[in-house]
Amino acid sequence: MEIRLEKIDPESNCFRFYLIRCEPDLFGGAALVLQWGRIGGAGRTDIRASGSPERVREICERMVQRKLRRAYAVAGAGLMPGAAVP
């Protein structure tokens, strides 16, 4: 599972992204991997949680909801199917 969120506000020079991924770990569980920073840059990466896939998915969903409340939007949500990405 991978979700990319973006917050774009040219008036305040805010061009940020937040990438949330749930990945399998070496022990048969799952890990929550976060990447964030300015759009166009590599950003920072952090592993925030690991454990059962269900627990990691719950944490992932809470993080997405938190970011949506802070004016982030799902990247590409406004695109028409088949439209070229700018």
Side-chain angles (χ1 to χ4, degrees), residues 30-66:
L32 178 64
V33 180
L34 304 176
Q35 187 176 4
W36 68 95
R38 188 168 174 90
I39 294 174
R44 294 179 169 212
T45 303
D46 191 18
I47 299 173
R48 289 283 170 98
S50 64
S52 71
E54 296 82 19
R55 179 179 174 269
V56 171
R57 186 172 298 273
E58 288 174 13
I59 295 170
C60 178
E61 290 172 1
R62 280 186 286 180
M63 294 198 79
V64 169
Q65 291 303 317
R66 184 180 313 145

Side-chain angles (χ1 to χ4, degrees), residues 7-22:
K7 182 178 183 179
I8 299 173
D9 184 9
E11 292 179 7
S12 63
N13 196 27
C14 180
F15 299 91
R16 300 175 190 219
F17 75 91
Y18 209 88
L19 185 64
I20 302 171
R21 290 191 314 256
C22 295

